[in-house]
Amino acid sequence: MNRLIFRSTQELNEAGAGIIVGLLQTNPKAVLGLATGSTPIGIYEELVKSHRRGLVSFRSATSFNLDEYVGLPPEHSQSYHYYMQQHLFSHIDLPASRANIPDGTAADLAGECERYNKLLDDAKQIDLQVLGLGHNGHIGFNEPDQSLVSGTHVVTLEAATREANARFFDKPEDVPTHALTMGVGTILKAKTILLVVRGADKADIVFRALTGPIKTEIPASLLQTHPNLVVLLDEQAGRLFS
């Protein structure tokens, strides 16, 4: 595990983007696993800047997003399809045909999970998986449980997760109750995992996830088993490590 703590948000964003840019410069056909939420926005902004400066191209790359809400159409302002268009895809040269996101409006959700798993299997391996961290230790939308699902699956979102995401919706009851998410097994198959955590409210859970017992009740604790885990923390999130 390579754990880095940054004094400023800008330094963290630049470091995260730099890792991705470096990968694409050495491997233009890299497969990227992408996350959503507030955590990676600054990193995506830096990627856009690097692309506009001609430092990096995405035209030969492929991406797979971690998750999507069930029931939100792609044009919904809180869908992850919309998020990715707003923050990254519409600003870079990644072909739309290789920007993969689960379809939360599929009539057959189990079939959609199978389709997404097939795409992931065909891609062989994600070269770099970007992750955030939920307050309850979830990664993707893999919630704490007695056991965890390996592949893409439908998950019922915990009340704490829905509460944390309610700020993005007009009313708390508008937050979807279910999501499609890449499984922990798929996440752990990535060659490199880039875990990005910000804020004092995440200090306790990231410390427990990375130093405590490995257990499915804290899904992120399984990241301790990964041979190439890079952790980027701001000072507030990383305060318990000092």
Side-chain angles (χ1 to χ4, degrees), residues 15 41 69 85 112 158 161 174-175 215 224 239:
I41 289 176
Y69 287 119
Q85 288 296 326
E112 173 60 12
E158 287 199 349
T161 299
D174 291 341
V175 183
K215 54 185 181 179
Q224 294 182 50
R239 62 184 174 82

Short mmCIF file of all heavy atoms in Angstrom, two decimals, residues 15 41 69 85 112 158 161 174-175 215 224 239:
data_model
loop_
_atom_site.label_atom_id
_atom_site.label_comp_id
_atom_site.label_asym_id
_atom_site.label_seq_id
_atom_site.Cartn_x
_atom_site.Cartn_y
_atom_site.Cartn_z
N ALA A 15 -2.12 15.17 -8.20
CA ALA A 15 -1.48 13.86 -8.05
C ALA A 15 -2.36 12.76 -8.63
O ALA A 15 -1.86 11.87 -9.35
CB ALA A 15 -1.19 13.59 -6.58
N ILE A 41 -14.22 14.79 -8.57
CA ILE A 41 -14.50 15.90 -9.50
C ILE A 41 -13.24 16.71 -9.80
O ILE A 41 -12.94 17.02 -10.97
CB ILE A 41 -15.61 16.82 -8.94
CG1 ILE A 41 -16.96 16.10 -9.01
CG2 ILE A 41 -15.69 18.12 -9.74
CD1 ILE A 41 -18.11 16.88 -8.40
N TYR A 69 -27.52 4.52 -10.48
CA TYR A 69 -28.79 4.38 -9.77
C TYR A 69 -29.80 3.61 -10.63
O TYR A 69 -29.85 3.77 -11.85
CB TYR A 69 -29.38 5.75 -9.46
CG TYR A 69 -28.70 6.52 -8.36
CD1 TYR A 69 -28.10 7.75 -8.62
CD2 TYR A 69 -28.68 6.05 -7.05
CE1 TYR A 69 -27.50 8.49 -7.60
CE2 TYR A 69 -28.09 6.78 -6.04
CZ TYR A 69 -27.49 7.99 -6.32
OH TYR A 69 -26.90 8.71 -5.31
N GLN A 85 -20.81 12.81 -18.22
CA GLN A 85 -20.81 13.74 -19.36
C GLN A 85 -20.42 15.13 -18.92
O GLN A 85 -19.61 15.81 -19.57
CB GLN A 85 -22.20 13.76 -20.01
CG GLN A 85 -22.55 12.51 -20.79
CD GLN A 85 -21.63 12.29 -21.99
OE1 GLN A 85 -21.18 13.24 -22.63
NE2 GLN A 85 -21.36 11.03 -22.29
N GLU A 112 -29.02 -6.98 -17.30
CA GLU A 112 -28.08 -5.86 -17.45
C GLU A 112 -26.79 -6.14 -16.68
O GLU A 112 -25.69 -5.83 -17.16
CB GLU A 112 -28.72 -4.56 -16.98
CG GLU A 112 -27.79 -3.36 -16.92
CD GLU A 112 -27.17 -2.99 -18.25
OE1 GLU A 112 -27.60 -3.50 -19.31
OE2 GLU A 112 -26.23 -2.15 -18.24
N GLU A 158 -28.30 1.40 1.66
CA GLU A 158 -28.56 1.60 3.07
C GLU A 158 -29.08 3.02 3.32
O GLU A 158 -28.79 3.95 2.55
CB GLU A 158 -27.29 1.36 3.89
CG GLU A 158 -26.89 -0.09 4.00
CD GLU A 158 -25.95 -0.33 5.17
OE1 GLU A 158 -25.44 0.65 5.75
OE2 GLU A 158 -25.73 -1.51 5.50
N THR A 161 -26.37 5.62 3.30
CA THR A 161 -25.89 5.98 1.96
C THR A 161 -26.86 6.94 1.29
O THR A 161 -26.46 7.93 0.68
CB THR A 161 -25.72 4.70 1.12
OG1 THR A 161 -24.74 3.86 1.73
CG2 THR A 161 -25.27 5.05 -0.29
N ASP A 174 -36.47 11.55 -2.98
CA ASP A 174 -36.13 11.40 -4.40
C ASP A 174 -34.90 10.53 -4.61
O ASP A 174 -34.63 10.10 -5.74
CB ASP A 174 -35.87 12.77 -5.04
CG ASP A 174 -37.13 13.61 -5.16
OD1 ASP A 174 -38.23 13.03 -5.09
OD2 ASP A 174 -37.00 14.85 -5.31
N VAL A 175 -34.13 10.28 -3.56
CA VAL A 175 -32.92 9.46 -3.69
C VAL A 175 -33.33 8.02 -4.01
O VAL A 175 -34.13 7.44 -3.28
CB VAL A 175 -32.09 9.49 -2.41
CG1 VAL A 175 -30.79 8.70 -2.60
CG2 VAL A 175 -31.77 10.92 -1.99
N LYS A 215 -12.90 -7.37 6.90
CA LYS A 215 -14.22 -7.97 7.10
C LYS A 215 -15.22 -7.35 6.14
O LYS A 215 -15.10 -6.19 5.76
CB LYS A 215 -14.69 -7.79 8.54
CG LYS A 215 -14.69 -6.37 9.05
CD LYS A 215 -15.06 -6.31 10.53
CE LYS A 215 -15.11 -4.88 11.05
NZ LYS A 215 -15.48 -4.83 12.48
N GLN A 224 -7.08 -3.94 1.58
CA GLN A 224 -5.78 -4.28 2.20
C GLN A 224 -5.12 -5.48 1.52
O GLN A 224 -3.90 -5.64 1.59
CB GLN A 224 -5.95 -4.58 3.68
CG GLN A 224 -6.38 -3.41 4.54
CD GLN A 224 -6.47 -3.82 6.01
OE1 GLN A 224 -5.55 -4.42 6.56
NE2 GLN A 224 -7.59 -3.49 6.65
N ARG A 239 -5.73 12.34 9.13
CA ARG A 239 -5.20 12.81 10.42
C ARG A 239 -4.90 11.69 11.41
O ARG A 239 -4.00 11.82 12.26
CB ARG A 239 -6.16 13.81 11.05
CG ARG A 239 -7.54 13.27 11.39
CD ARG A 239 -8.47 14.36 11.93
NE ARG A 239 -9.81 13.88 12.14
CZ ARG A 239 -10.22 13.20 13.20
NH1 ARG A 239 -9.36 12.96 14.18
NH2 ARG A 239 -11.47 12.79 13.32
#
